[in-house]
């Protein structure tokens, strides 16, 4: 699964915004990866949205999410340090 990470609001930019992930990985893997890339401490809030619309459950499988919500082959994940949508 190709993941495309897009910052929202004042969230910091990543040097590389796209990466590959095994389709059987849970969505929590994306959150853990992003926390490492941004050097966020565990107490800092991180909000992840698919297609700027909803927050998937951490245990949902990335392959299934990609089948339903991929845009041009990429699973677009917006991230923010405070609530941004909904």
């Amino acid at each position: 699964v190709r993941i495309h990470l897009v910052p929202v609001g004042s969230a910091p930019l990543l040097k590389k915004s796209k990466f590959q992930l095994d389709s059987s990985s849970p969505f929590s893997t994306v959150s853990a990866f992003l926390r490492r890339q941004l050097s966020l401490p565990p107490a800092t809030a991180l909000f992840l949205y698919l297609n700027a619309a909803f927050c998937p459950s951490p245990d949902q499988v990335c392959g299934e999410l990609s089948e339903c919500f991929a845009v041009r082959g990429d699973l677009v994940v917006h991230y923010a340090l405070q609530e941004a949508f909904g």
Side-chain angles (χ1 to χ4, degrees), residues 5 10 12 18 21-22 29-30 32 41 48 52 54 61 71 77 79 82:
L5 296 169
S10 62
K18 293 184 180 184
L21 186 64
D22 185 22
T29 305
V30 177
L48 301 177
F54 73 98
V61 179
V71 177
V77 178
Y79 64 94
Q82 55 192 356

Side-chain angles (χ1 to χ4, degrees), residues 38-80:
L38 298 174
S39 300
L40 293 178
T44 302
L46 178 64
F47 297 89
L48 301 177
Y49 303 93
L50 284 188
N51 298 337
F54 73 98
C55 300
S57 171
D59 63 344
Q60 285 188 286
V61 179
C62 288
E64 293 172 1
L65 291 170
S66 180
E67 286 176 17
C68 297
F69 302 105
V71 177
R72 286 181 240 122
D74 290 347
L75 184 61
V76 180
V77 178
H78 291 82
Y79 64 94

Side-chain angles (χ1 to χ4, degrees), residues 1-38:
V1 175
R2 271 195 332 237
I3 307 289
H4 182 190
L5 296 169
V6 179
V8 176
S10 62
L13 293 170
L14 295 171
K15 290 182 182 180
K16 182 179 175 187
S17 64
K18 293 184 180 184
F19 68 98
Q20 293 278 14
L21 186 64
D22 185 22
S23 63
S24 63
S25 298
F27 191 72
S28 61
T29 305
V30 177
S31 178
F33 172 80
L34 191 52
R35 282 189 173 280
R36 280 192 310 274
Q37 293 298 308
L38 298 174

